[in-house]
Amino acid sequence: MGVELFVSKEEETPDHCVYTFGTSAETIGHVRLHKSSGDIELADVADAAEGANPRFVLAQVVPRLHDYHDRKTYPPQDQWNA
C-alpha cells in the first residue's frame, strides 16, 4: 500500500507557481516552480512528524512538477499514490 500524496497551487504569477505539498495526513511544505527554467526551489518544509519522511515526499513531488513544466500546464491540484 502506498502513500497518498498531493500538491495544491497556492500562487501563480507569469514567472512561477508556488505549490503546497504533502500527504493525505499532513502538509509537508511549499515549493516554487519556475516556469521559464523548470527549476524547483524548496520554500519551506515542516519538521518531521510521525508520518511520511519529508525527503521521500519531496522526491516524489519533484518529478511531478517537472512533468507539469514539460507539458506547460500548471494544475490547481493533483493527488496520487507513491
Side-chain angles (χ1 to χ4, degrees):
M1 184 172 150
V3 177
E4 188 173 322
L5 304 177
F6 79 90
V7 293
S8 179
K9 187 167 38 176
E10 298 293 319
E11 173 186 327
E12 183 170 9
T13 71
D15 298 323
H16 69 266
C17 294
V18 174
Y19 282 95
T20 298
F21 68 95
T23 68
S24 59
E26 65 181 330
T27 297
I28 303 287
H30 296 85
V31 290
R32 182 174 290 112
L33 170 59
H34 295 273
K35 292 180 177 179
S36 62
S37 64
D39 290 342
I40 297 169
E41 176 184 344
L42 181 61
D44 65 72
V45 65
D47 292 333
E50 294 204 26
N53 182 317
R55 290 180 185 172
F56 168 81
V57 176
L58 184 60
Q60 306 307 307
V61 168
V62 167
R64 184 66 56 124
L65 295 177
H66 280 152
D67 185 50
Y68 300 163
H69 176 259
D70 292 345
R71 291 183 289 142
K72 302 288 189 236
T73 59
Y74 306 96
Q77 46 192 321
D78 195 2
Q79 62 185 43
W80 66 100
N81 285 316

